[in-house]
Amino acid sequence: HDAGAGYVVLTSKHHDGFCLWPTEVENPAWEKWAGKSGAKGRVMSRDIVGELTRAVRRVGVEMGIYYSGGYDWSWNSTMMPCATNATVQTGTTCHPHWTEGKDYALYAGKQLSELIARYRPSVLWDDINWPDAGKEPLKGFGIIEILARYFTKDCPQGVVNERWHLDQNDKLGMKKVDRPVWRWTGDYGTPEYSESSRVQKNVFETCRGIGESFGYNSEEDGVVDCKAYLSPARAIDLLVNVTAANGNLLLDVGPDAKGTIPSCQENVLRAIGRWLRTNGEAIYKAQPWLAAGEDTARLPTKLTFLPRYCVFAIFLSNSVAKDSVSGKHPGLLVEFGRSLSLADSPLQNVHDITAELLLQADERVSSILLGMELNAKRTSAVLYVPWDKLPYGGQRAWVVKFSANNQQKISPFVSQACNNSCAVWQR
């Protein structure tokens, strides 16, 4: 909650097959696996999934559940057939087809159904694939049967990711489900450790760890000065980049063996939360502009907007150094191209738009109005930001909010190019 998260996705069962809820579904493969691996226990006696679900919803955050349907070491501990060293090193996509037959497919289907029935997750997050035998009707526990119930009965407003790898057969009437965005691929994509400089047509969720690992990594935690993890400034920039490209950020948190979140990870989460308390309106419910932004040599900027209301220019961390700008001005001058517009026309009157600098939460006021003027050709606006008001000294992302006055509407307009001394607001 303090990190400003809109939803949480808990790993209920990862590839090791260990369950974080008291499942009633028996695993006939566990005893053999435990004998070979030394694994102790099959499930938690404590309901971690239930406890976290209740805690998350109590503070108004949505709850999601991850389940590794495509890989379970207790049933098959061999390396994925396509996960060779070459594919790992090159990042080649690997979607192995499970060969264990209907027994595992039935087991996975029953567990996923149990999770849905008990916890009603708003997000269902499958990993790797879904067992092939479970893509056929399976006593009510085939994946299409499960998802049809999920969408129509259990969680009509729920969403699912795309890693089920289903075909387009309509054997169970899935097309009758009112799911216009489904198209058999899931509601959104889930790229890992990636960013995009362009707005993506389809919504996505970038997932990654605060470090380079999913889950706790003692070697990362032992690095001096938290250098194995994202810095707070870099994590905020990542959130901005992903949002401006039409995505969400799913940031993995890895507690240690005692269940404690390492301080380096906690510091990043709290820094994101503090930033969002001031600048969250540029992220929550905001949509990408017609371009994610314009990265010039001096002022890398990302863009989001609330339709017909306001547009946000988000300047990334370290985008401004005082000594890089002419000392003639007691502040920063930013020129925007023909991109702020009202009613689908070029900017005609600078007074029709208010430019507002969002300040840190500990400031006495939440924002200050910035002076703007039109250039001689009335094709762009020049914005002035006093140095002493520059949030975070430019060391973390900061936001300028442009909103229309007199109930007029802000809408996209084709911008003109600007040289590298400018920050271009471009569609």
Side-chain angles (χ1 to χ4, degrees):
H1 180 260
D2 289 347
Y7 61 95
V8 171
V9 178
L10 174 66
T11 301
S12 66
K13 185 202 79 167
H14 203 245
H15 307 332
D16 57 9
F18 189 83
C19 301
L20 294 186
W21 80 101
T23 180
E24 297 178 0
V25 182
E26 290 297 324
N27 182 349
W30 186 263
E31 185 175 349
K32 182 178 179 181
W33 159 244
K36 291 172 56 179
S37 66
K40 297 180 180 179
R42 183 176 64 88
V43 299
M44 295 285 290
S45 57
R46 178 177 166 184
D47 186 3
I48 299 297
V49 177
E51 290 180 26
L52 185 62
T53 297
R54 290 188 291 274
V56 163
R57 288 176 173 158
R58 194 159 48 239
V59 295
V61 176
E62 297 287 348
M63 183 63 186
I65 289 178
Y66 164 109
Y67 181 86
S68 177
Y71 208 31
D72 188 319
W73 296 337
S74 67
W75 289 76
N76 187 340
S77 59
T78 59
M79 179 177 271
M80 298 180 201
C82 60
T84 63
N85 289 335
T87 61
V88 171
Q89 291 171 6
T90 61
T92 304
T93 301
C94 175
H95 302 306
H97 290 275
W98 194 267
T99 59
E100 296 305 300
K102 291 186 177 180
D103 288 345
Y104 174 71
L106 186 60
Y107 168 78
K110 287 182 176 180
Q111 282 207 320
L112 188 63
S113 296
E114 183 181 60
L115 287 166
I116 294 171
R118 286 191 189 182
Y119 308 112
R120 296 292 196 273
S122 300
V123 180
L124 273 185
W125 218 104
D126 180 46
D127 204 2
I128 308 298
N129 199 337
W130 191 257
D132 290 345
K135 296 174 184 177
E136 303 287 338
L138 193 61
K139 302 179 181 178
F141 295 104
I143 190 56
I144 301 300
E145 297 167 292
I146 294 170
L147 292 179
R149 290 195 299 270
Y150 177 75
F151 290 141
T152 58
K153 178 183 176 182
D154 299 315
C155 303
Q157 302 303 314
V159 295
V160 302
N161 72 336
E162 90 296 15
R163 299 193 182 188
W164 315 88
H165 299 289
L166 303 174
D167 59 30
Q168 297 187 23
N169 294 329
D170 189 27
K171 297 176 181 177
L172 295 168
M174 188 64 183
K175 292 180 181 178
K176 297 177 183 178
V177 175
D178 183 15
R179 202 72 180 174
V181 297
W182 169 252
R183 296 194 185 93
W184 296 94
T185 59
D187 293 309
Y188 60 94
T190 53
E192 297 184 5
Y193 286 85
S194 68
E195 296 178 64
S196 175
S197 60
R198 297 183 178 182
V199 176
Q200 301 300 300
K201 179 180 179 181
N202 298 318
V203 295
F204 67 94
E205 175 192 75
T206 288
C207 54
R208 61 155 294 158
I210 297 178
E212 295 300 318
S213 305
F214 285 109
Y216 178 75
N217 185 328
S218 59
E219 292 188 2
E220 288 182 344
D221 197 34
V223 176
V224 177
D225 297 330
C226 303
K227 291 184 178 180
Y229 296 105
L230 292 172
S231 68
R234 176 69 185 95
I236 293 168
D237 283 354
L238 174 63
L239 172 63
V240 171
N241 286 336
V242 170
T243 303
N246 201 23
N248 283 355
L249 175 62
L250 187 65
L251 198 57
D252 186 85
V253 181
D256 63 18
K258 296 180 180 180
T260 301
I261 297 175
S263 59
C264 290
Q265 296 187 38
E266 181 181 352
N267 291 340
V268 171
L269 296 174
R270 293 191 181 279
I272 294 174
R274 286 192 297 271
W275 188 87
L276 283 170
R277 283 193 286 277
T278 299
N279 304 289
E281 59 182 312
I283 302 296
Y284 299 125
K285 297 184 180 180
Q287 299 178 15
W289 193 244
L290 297 186
E294 176 71 12
D295 294 347
T296 67
R298 184 168 55 188
L299 296 172
T301 311
K302 297 298 178 180
L303 308 168
T304 62
F305 84 117
L306 297 176
R308 300 188 177 188
Y309 174 57
C310 58
V311 188
F312 302 95
I314 310 174
F315 296 85
L316 300 184
S317 63
N318 298 311
S319 61
V320 179
K322 185 175 181 179
D323 58 6
S324 69
V325 182
S326 173
K328 296 179 181 179
H329 304 290
L332 172 67
L333 293 179
V334 183
E335 183 175 2
F336 289 89
R338 281 180 57 185
S339 50
L340 282 178
S341 59
L342 299 175
D344 294 319
S345 62
L347 186 61
Q348 296 295 323
N349 189 337
V350 72
H351 300 294
D352 289 335
I353 294 180
T354 296
E356 192 177 6
L357 178 64
L358 305 186
L359 299 182
Q360 299 174 62
D362 57 356
E363 296 281 355
R364 287 187 298 176
V365 291
S366 62
S367 60
I368 63 170
L369 298 181
L370 301 174
M372 284 205 306
E373 62 183 36
L374 290 176
N375 66 7
K377 296 182 180 180
R378 303 177 71 83
T379 58
S380 65
V382 178
L383 181 68
Y384 169 68
V385 184
W387 288 122
D388 62 349
K389 292 298 184 181
L390 190 63
Y392 315 103
Q395 298 305 301
R396 289 191 185 174
W398 51 284
V399 180
V400 175
K401 173 184 176 182
F402 295 94
S403 53
N405 298 326
N406 302 321
Q407 296 184 339
Q408 299 188 67
K409 299 175 182 178
I410 284 185
S411 58
F413 187 80
V414 178
S415 67
Q416 292 184 339
C418 183
N419 61 42
N420 283 342
S421 65
C422 307
V424 180
W425 190 301
Q426 186 175 8
R427 48 178 305 192

